[in-house]
Amino acid sequence: MKFFIDTADVNEIREASALGLLDGVTTNPSLVAQTGRKFEDVLAEIVEIVDGPISAEVVSTDFAGMKAEAQKLAAIHENIVVKIPLISEGLKTVAWCADRGIQTNVTLCFSPLQALLAAKAGADYISPFVGRLDDVGHEGMDLIGDIVEIYRNYDFDTEVLVASIRHPLHVLEAARLGADVVTVPFKVLGQLVKHPLTDIGLQKFLADWEKVPKP
Ligand code: E4P
């Protein structure tokens, strides 16, 4: 399973990258706004830190506008994946990008049928938002299971990128279901590493090592 980090904060990306297990980055307009920086500046820095897919989202909602943005974003760096919302105009743009070799990540997916359409349009990634479904009383991970099953039935190449992750159990369940990618907030990445028994065990080993006669 690939691990992406879901942030536009370059300090977080640098720290996560130093762990040696980061495969890519996802951003969105809200995450970019939190940085208080220009989008182009943020992207220019991210592509220098991570050598993997970096999702950058369009903000137009019409075909012409999305095409223009997709072209502009894709020209920044070969690792840029254009993030496109799951609306009709978005699907048109995904098909247009696929014909031109521009990579896409279809975002704001909340149903298996939306995911099916995105795959048919030629998306490289589909981003189902599990946390936001949980927030409104639906089991977000059920959506992942459905999409994985449907994509497997028809051998779609579109990768299932589990998004809107809120806690480690989302990551565990995504792995059990065979999702291709998880995009994890920095905080959750830290939570995945930690286990109290690891810390207690390490303390004990180090304390015992003090009792070993040294040369
Ligand atoms: C996905 O690519 C989005 O950037 C993100 O996962 C949304 O997460 P949120 O629901 O916590 O805002």
Side-chain angles (χ1 to χ4, degrees), residues 71-150:
Q71 253 171 335
K72 203 170 153 196
L73 289 168
I76 294 174
H77 194 277
E78 60 185 5
N79 284 343
I80 296 286
V81 176
V82 181
K83 209 168 172 189
I84 298 176
L86 214 160
I87 55 177
S88 299
E89 296 291 283
L91 291 176
K92 277 190 227 171
T93 312
V94 170
W96 182 88
C97 287
D99 284 345
R100 283 153 187 82
I102 297 175
Q103 296 186 81
T104 55
N105 171 4
V106 178
T107 189
L108 292 167
C109 171
F110 293 97
S111 90
L113 292 174
Q114 285 183 314
L116 177 58
L117 296 181
K120 282 190 70 67
D124 293 281
Y125 301 92
I126 183 72
S127 287
F129 277 36
V130 294
R132 292 192 196 186
L133 278 171
D134 290 352
D135 290 345
V136 294
H138 289 264
E139 184 54 70
M141 293 313 300
D142 285 351
L143 175 59
I144 305 305
D146 286 344
I147 299 173
V148 168
E149 182 184 349
I150 290 168

Side-chain angles (χ1 to χ4, degrees), residues 6 26-28 31 83 129 132 163-164 166 183:
D6 195 28
T26 53
T27 66
N28 66 38
L31 293 170
K83 209 168 172 189
F129 277 36
R132 292 192 196 186
S164 187
R166 301 279 159 77
T183 188

